[in-house]
Amino acid sequence: MASPDPTASEFRLVLLKVSDSLTEENVKKLAFLCENIAPAKRDKLSTGLDLFSELQGHDLLGERRVDLLTKWLDDLNLTSASEQLKQYKRTHLEADAISRGACLIHKDLPLKFFCVSCDLRICPECAFKTHGGGTSCDVIALDNLREEIDKRRESLGKVLDTTATSTQSMGRLWQQTKDTSRKCRDAVRQTALKDYVSIIEEAEKDKGTLLEKLASEELVELGQQLERGKEIEGIKFDLKELRKSQKSASEYSLGELQRINKDLKDIGDLAARVQRQQDAVQKKSNEIIHPEKKVIASVIFGEDRAVRVYDARGVNGSVMFECDNIRMDGTAWKLSVKVADKLSPVIVSHVDMWAHAHGGAHGLFAVGNTVFKVMPNSSAVTYVEIEDVPTGSWISSLTALNLSGTPSNVVMLSFHGSKVIKTYTFSSSGEPLDRIDLSEIDALGEISCLAYIYAMAAVIGRGCEEVLLVSTSGTKKVCASLRAPVAGLSPVTVLPVGNCWMVLFNGGEYGQRWKVVIYSMKGERSEDLRSWSSSSDLDIPIGIGRWKAMGYIVFNNSKMSLIKFKLPTSVRGSSVNTSKVVWESWK
């Protein structure tokens, strides 16, 4: 004689308890939710047991089928009754399924997978459907548990190392900025305290006002520096604790896998804190260098005009252009462009727009959803608003488009939060001429710099350690990449140089170590490279410009330096011998 099923007995017992907690009105409402029960039959149901018998008759309720009734109870806010069914499912159904190694939903399928996100063993069917594509679930095969834990430990170690390096660099930058700020205050004091015979009473009054203002600002700044110091020490302590946790880890279990994932999340939070501190300290450095305006980019207009672009919106509400001739022996002209948008970043094309209809080279920059075109030696400024920019977004990268080396009135740009590149004619803000969707490239962050030549686009994404080369004709796809010649450098700017690419990489102490490298159009790197380094974080390269065989670098302190080089005489990308690039001079 077969022994009774304990699950069945528990099932009937829990139905009795649920029935006792339901009123007749509750039963009527539950019956109304079941379309299988005829209206005439619903009126005759007065107790929970009457309703349960009817549901079992329609195969809607059973020992292993309680989810529908539980949902209805939740919908009617019958919490006590719902919780009794949920407790029954946890205690008897799920425990029984796990003990048999079988799926609760798909009874004949073994639990061969584990969802890290849901902390749940699942069967292949659940892995494919409930936890598969279109969800954010992180699913692994239990057969690969050891390899998966090793891989995630390795990933955690790399992130820890990177964050540790950033934390150390940030601490040094904080100390350097602190010292520089102190020196600046001392210089102001010395200027204010100089006692000239010709100083009159009014000057003494001004001196007192200046010293009082300086003392007040000093107290605020010292407080901010103290807070940054505490934050840095906190980050270092958290990083040390994570390293201890990783070094002591040796087991291979689901618990260890969850711990590693938690550590990865924690280190991500640490990295975000490091980035916030870096931005705050770097902003202070820029304020020390440029109290009124901040240099943000550079571009060369034609053969002998090197232009620095400043963001002076905080001072006079404008974007400023200062043009020196390439020999750097005098300022050619200045121009201020009033901009209403004070919040969106100023994005500058590192290549000038060459258009016959408007008299040659023009400068391009964008703020928010608007692209501005600046005419050299003139106050003439035209602009166009791009209708495609989504609400809450802005233009994040911009370049003039010289199609096949001929003059054009075309711009290429991308938007904040998007990996789609679009091209427009400057005179039209409607439908784009073309679009390149790079959304499937996971390693590419938000696009920060663009360049174009001969149906090939060069793309730099934030956080990306290489420049991606994308074919813009036919099937638009990534066909090559321009990698840094040494580890630890990231691309800042890329420019077309004839039928080659010129890339500025920087790294180390917030950009104090940097390289300028020339590649062929298809990504072959020159063997003859040049490296430079800056002695201070206040002397960091932010962009490069070029005219024929002469280029220059602009720094965040507004300084410009020339580079002269010779290019091979080949005219198309596949035939360029980049090893023949000769760096002639640097100053």
Side-chain angles (χ1 to χ4, degrees), residues 235-413:
I235 291 172
K236 288 180 179 178
F237 176 79
D238 292 343
L239 191 60
K240 184 178 179 181
E241 292 300 307
L242 282 172
R243 281 199 177 279
K244 283 182 183 177
S245 175
Q246 191 199 9
K247 288 180 180 178
S248 62
S250 59
E251 61 176 303
Y252 292 88
S253 66
L254 295 178
E256 172 68 3
L257 181 63
Q258 292 292 62
R259 187 193 66 76
I260 291 174
N261 276 280
K262 180 180 180 300
D263 286 351
L264 283 170
K265 180 181 180 300
D266 290 345
I267 200 67
D269 294 340
L270 274 181
R273 288 166 61 190
V274 169
Q275 185 62 49
R276 286 195 296 270
Q277 287 299 309
Q278 174 186 339
D279 292 344
V281 177
Q282 191 66 53
K283 179 181 178 182
K284 188 62 185 177
S285 298
N286 289 331
E287 289 174 353
I288 293 171
I289 305 168
H290 309 295
E292 296 182 352
K293 59 186 181 181
K294 174 186 176 184
V295 63
I296 54 174
S298 60
V299 63
I300 291 184
F301 285 175
E303 187 170 1
D304 63 352
R305 287 167 292 179
V307 179
R308 287 174 295 237
V309 186
Y310 297 88
D311 183 358
R313 291 177 295 172
V315 180
N316 57 21
S318 69
V319 175
M320 298 177 61
F321 286 70
E322 288 188 1
C323 179
D324 296 340
N325 60 48
I326 202 69
R327 294 178 296 277
M328 299 185 189
D329 56 5
T331 301
W333 55 269
K334 294 182 180 182
L335 174 64
S336 293
V337 182
K338 291 292 183 181
V339 176
D341 187 341
K342 302 296 191 297
L343 299 178
S344 301
V346 181
I347 306 299
V348 182
S349 170
H350 296 280
V351 179
D352 58 349
M353 172 177 278
W354 187 261
H356 274 316
H358 299 283
H362 297 72
L364 287 178
F365 74 93
V367 180
N369 68 339
T370 306
V371 181
F372 297 83
K373 182 163 63 174
V374 179
M375 183 179 293
N377 298 311
S378 168
S379 59
V381 178
T382 56
Y383 66 90
V384 60
E385 294 183 355
I386 305 299
E387 298 173 357
D388 278 356
V389 180
T391 302
S393 184
W394 55 83
I395 296 171
S396 63
S397 64
L398 170 72
T399 186
L401 213 63
N402 295 319
L403 301 172
S404 302
T406 59
S408 74
N409 205 27
V410 179
V411 296
M412 174 182 279
L413 50 82

Side-chain angles (χ1 to χ4, degrees), residues 176-220:
Q176 189 177 38
T177 304
K178 181 178 172 184
D179 294 342
T180 305
S181 180
R182 188 188 68 252
K183 292 176 182 177
C184 289
R185 289 196 302 271
D186 291 344
V188 174
R189 283 196 182 91
Q190 291 173 11
T191 301
L193 295 172
K194 282 182 180 178
D195 189 18
Y196 297 103
V197 177
S198 59
I199 294 180
I200 56 177
E201 263 185 37
E202 191 61 34
E204 286 293 330
K205 181 180 177 181
D206 290 343
K207 182 183 75 174
T209 302
L210 176 61
L211 289 174
E212 288 176 8
K213 181 180 178 182
L214 180 64
S216 175
E217 292 177 351
E218 181 178 10
L219 285 175
V220 174

Side-chain angles (χ1 to χ4, degrees), residues 15 52 68 71 87 136 185 190 202 244 318 379 412 441 494 536 578:
L15 288 186
F52 301 155
L68 181 60
K71 179 181 181 303
Q87 180 63 32
S136 59
R185 289 196 302 271
Q190 291 173 11
E202 191 61 34
K244 283 182 183 177
S318 69
S379 59
M412 174 182 279
I441 305 176
V494 57
S536 167
T578 52

